[in-house]
Amino acid sequence: MTHTLLPAFLQAIRTLNDSMPLTKEDLLSEDFLIQKVGELEMYYSPHNEYINKKARIIIVGITPGWSQMKIAYEHFLKGFAAEKAMEVVLRETKIAAGFAGAMRANLMAMLDQCGIPESLHINGSSALFNEDRTLLHTTSVIKYPVFYRAKNYTGHQPGIFQSKLLTEYATKVFAEEIGEIKKNALIIPLGKTAETIIRHLMEANKLAGHTILFGFPHPSGANGHRVRQFEEQKNSLAQTVRKWSDQI
């Protein structure tokens, strides 16, 4: 396991009430604050601690949002209360929270059209989140939730390279994480911000041996242009997937 802050926050996690839905008052508190710089805040969340080192597909977002953070804590607490091994708790937390919510359906539809199921010989991209989860690693260029003016950070205000804190996580911590994964996985950055970081790391030779699927739109429902963007890129994306498939 690479960079982890779990030991520093485990005691505070133990004080949370696992019988009630968790709120922003519970989690966006001093107890879980990693660092605050101006109006930018980074908080601890346990769902990006587990690394699937055998993954063939790596899906990369910008940073976990509030909904993922809430799901992660609630699943972590359930596993912890059931006295499961920490490795199991972290893996199950990762599976529960990874790109949870409405965007997952959009994401799977696009992956299907890129030819991912054919390349991996699976029934559909939905299998990556179910019976074939061992093929998938989900993560973010900034592994812990970041908020700007108390709202989910979108990668723009400030830009990642305008913040020393965000740059450290995106270029060092994230690169170390990917370095633990088997060579020639297919890395899929979601949207332009994640893609910019991936390009930066590739040019610095920190992602050697992996294939990058450039041009994949962010699947969030908030991205009103995603359907048009995907249609424009679909042939190019499918071609990259086929080339990668021929190499594995």
Side-chain angles (χ1 to χ4, degrees):
M1 193 177 291
T2 54
H3 185 283
T4 176
L5 296 178
L6 178 60
F9 290 96
L10 192 54
Q11 191 58 43
I13 294 174
R14 285 175 172 153
T15 68
L16 293 169
N17 185 345
D18 63 357
S19 63
M20 298 281 287
L22 296 172
T23 66
K24 289 186 178 182
E25 287 71 26
D26 293 323
L27 301 181
L28 302 187
S29 70
E30 289 286 333
D31 288 343
F32 301 107
L33 183 66
I34 295 173
Q35 197 168 335
K36 178 178 172 66
V37 183
E39 296 180 287
L40 198 71
E41 297 171 317
M42 178 184 286
Y43 288 90
Y44 180 75
S45 182
H47 73 288
N48 274 337
E49 299 290 11
Y50 176 78
I51 301 173
N52 179 11
K53 298 179 183 179
K54 296 180 180 179
R56 303 305 334 211
I57 303 287
I58 305 171
I59 300 177
V60 184
I62 301 169
T63 185
W66 160 249
S67 61
Q68 285 178 280
M69 183 181 183
K70 173 180 161 70
I71 291 167
Y73 270 98
E74 290 177 348
H75 274 264
F76 185 92
L77 287 172
K78 283 179 186 175
F80 201 69
E83 299 183 351
K84 295 180 179 179
M86 186 58 73
E87 182 81 357
V88 173
V89 174
L90 292 174
R91 185 176 70 246
E92 290 180 350
T93 298
K94 160 73 85 176
I95 290 170
F99 297 104
M103 81 164 76
R104 188 180 287 185
N106 297 337
L107 174 59
M108 291 187 300
M110 289 193 285
L111 293 176
D112 281 345
Q113 292 181 70
C114 288
I116 295 292
E118 291 81 1
S119 295
L120 295 173
H121 309 291
I122 59 177
N123 290 328
S125 296
S126 60
L128 292 172
F129 292 91
N130 295 289
E131 65 269 25
D132 292 310
R133 192 59 172 73
T134 54
L135 296 171
L136 177 66
H137 181 63
T138 61
T139 190
S140 302
V141 291
I142 302 163
K143 72 184 287 184
Y144 298 121
V146 174
F147 300 88
Y148 178 72
R149 295 182 177 174
K151 294 183 178 179
N152 287 344
Y153 174 67
T154 63
H156 303 299
Q157 285 189 301
I160 290 176
F161 290 117
Q162 293 175 302
S163 163
K164 184 178 179 182
L165 173 65
L166 300 183
T167 299
E168 166 81 6
Y169 273 86
T171 63
K172 186 173 184 292
V173 177
F174 173 69
E176 288 174 0
E177 176 182 344
I178 300 303
E180 292 209 20
I181 295 175
K182 185 177 178 179
K183 293 300 181 188
N184 206 8
L186 180 69
I187 300 177
I188 307 175
L190 302 182
K192 291 182 179 178
T193 300
E195 185 171 300
T196 297
I197 299 300
I198 296 290
R199 284 191 185 278
H200 174 86
L201 293 174
M202 190 179 72
E203 288 164 8
N205 202 33
K206 291 184 178 181
L207 298 176
H210 294 302
T211 298
I212 319 297
L213 193 62
F214 289 119
F216 199 95
H218 199 286
S220 168
N223 178 11
H225 302 294
R226 73 178 187 280
V227 174
R228 176 183 56 78
Q229 290 169 343
F230 182 73
E231 286 302 319
E232 290 172 354
Q233 296 288 335
K234 187 164 67 173
N235 290 338
S236 172
L237 293 168
Q239 188 176 10
T240 300
V241 171
R242 282 194 300 272
K243 284 182 180 178
W244 168 73
S245 178
D246 290 342
Q247 297 168 2
I248 62 174

